[in-house]
């Protein structure tokens, strides 16, 4: 009996430990988009790494599918206060996409089909912390959740995980993206509750 109780408690604490301040758990997967879902057929899709105006790397869909992929299980946290634990994805590590790219840039502006942007420190995209994901829950990523492919950067609030990703642009300055220009935090660490500028 004592052991059962203890096991139950430790599971509860384990879940609480994984919930950043001010967040609640949900089993659903809400859709949050600032505009309409862009239609991007796979045969018209490409993904680029750019520096200034220069395209450093570019992959068509078939080329991207041929890259080494990883299965990813992560917790995700939306600034509107919902969190989901153990979400499953498949995608390519940004480390692999930026391998051999030589740059002095310290920041990245992620750009999406449809015009959405979000700013990130380059180092936050490296060392196994970010992916370009094209499957969720064993299925092709649905268009409303960012398909054909989206950025997945689970250690930051989910607005940083740009849906319908088109390019990662290496930049020298941390210029704000779409939500950051409208008052959201430039970095967005859920564990420090960096929801808005000044948090
Ligand atoms: N291109 C694009 N990416 C986006 C958004 C968007 O409006 N456009 N919304 C962001 C926000 S605010 C959140 S919370 C998540 C939501 O992802 P979901 O709709 O798959 O839950 O996507 C982020 N990525
Ligand atoms: Mo969001």
């Amino acid at each position: 009996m004592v052991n059962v109780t203890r096991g139950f408690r430790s599971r509860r604490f384990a879940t609480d430990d994984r919930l950043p301040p001010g967040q609640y758990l949900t089993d659903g997967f809400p859709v949050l988009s600032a505009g309409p879902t862009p239609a991007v057929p796979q045969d018209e899709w490409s993904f680029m790494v750019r520096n200034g105006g220069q395209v450093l790397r570019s992959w068509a869909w078939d080329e991207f599918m041929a890259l080494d992929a990883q299965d990813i299980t992560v917790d995700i946290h939306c600034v509107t206060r919902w969190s989901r634990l153990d979400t499953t994805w498949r995608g390519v590590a940004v480390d692999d996409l930026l391998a051999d790219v030589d740059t002095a840039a310290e920041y990245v502006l992620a750009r999406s089909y449809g015009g959405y942007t979000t700013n990130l420190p380059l180092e936050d995209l490296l060392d196994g912390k970010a992916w370009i994901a094209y499957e969720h829950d064993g299925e092709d990523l649905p268009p409303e959740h960012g398909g054909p492919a989206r950025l997945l950067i689970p250690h930051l609030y989910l607005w940083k995980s740009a849906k319908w990703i088109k390019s990662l642009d290496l930049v020298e300055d941390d210029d704000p993206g779409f939500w950051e220009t409208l008052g959201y935090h430039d970095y967005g660490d859920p564990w420090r509750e960096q929801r808005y500028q000044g948090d």
Side-chain angles (χ1 to χ4, degrees):
M1 242 359 238
V2 171
N3 282 336
V4 171
T5 305
R6 207 175 271 155
F8 173 72
R9 281 219 184 112
S10 59
R11 271 202 301 282
R12 259 192 51 204
F13 282 126
T15 299
D16 291 349
D17 281 353
R18 291 166 65 182
L19 204 54
Q23 297 293 112
Y24 67 87
L25 282 180
T26 181
D27 289 328
F29 194 2
V31 171
L32 283 121
S33 303
T37 295
V40 190
Q42 289 175 354
D43 60 4
E44 289 172 24
W45 181 92
S46 73
F47 172 75
M48 296 177 285
V49 175
R50 300 193 292 197
N51 197 346
Q54 205 193 342
V55 178
L56 302 182
R57 298 281 185 279
S58 174
W59 295 266
W61 184 257
D62 291 348
E63 296 168 330
F64 204 81
M65 291 305 106
L67 300 174
D68 283 339
Q70 298 178 3
D71 291 306
I72 308 136
T73 301
V74 288
D75 302 345
I76 55 176
H77 312 291
C78 175
V79 73
T80 61
R81 300 187 181 271
W82 57 264
S83 293
R84 294 180 68 207
L85 304 184
D86 296 323
T87 61
T88 55
W89 308 80
R90 186 169 175 80
V92 179
V94 174
D95 296 288
D96 293 340
L97 300 169
L98 294 184
D100 309 324
V101 168
D102 203 15
T103 180
E106 289 182 22
Y107 298 96
V108 168
L109 191 68
R111 290 183 180 275
S112 297
Y113 290 93
Y116 186 87
T117 55
T118 189
N119 53 306
L120 302 143
L122 175 56
E123 63 178 17
D124 282 79
L125 289 161
L126 302 176
D127 297 325
K129 295 196 290 290
W131 297 265
I132 303 296
Y134 51 80
E135 283 183 21
H136 170 70
D137 242 351
E139 309 274 349
D140 285 353
L141 188 60
E144 67 272 21
H145 285 301
R150 77 182 296 169
L151 182 60
L152 177 65
I153 180 158
H155 72 286
L156 300 177
Y157 280 124
L158 200 58
W159 88 77
K160 297 287 184 181
S161 292
K163 303 196 280 190
W164 317 298
I165 188 82
K166 180 172 177 54
S167 70
L168 294 177
D169 290 12
L170 300 162
V171 289
E172 277 170 30
D173 301 312
D174 195 22
D175 291 331
F178 179 81
W179 282 118
E180 295 83 4
T181 304
L182 293 170
Y184 282 80
H185 199 276
D186 273 323
Y187 186 64
D189 180 352
W191 295 98
R192 289 188 278 168
E193 268 207 276
Q194 294 173 335
R195 298 175 193 274
Y196 309 109
Q197 302 287 346
D199 283 351

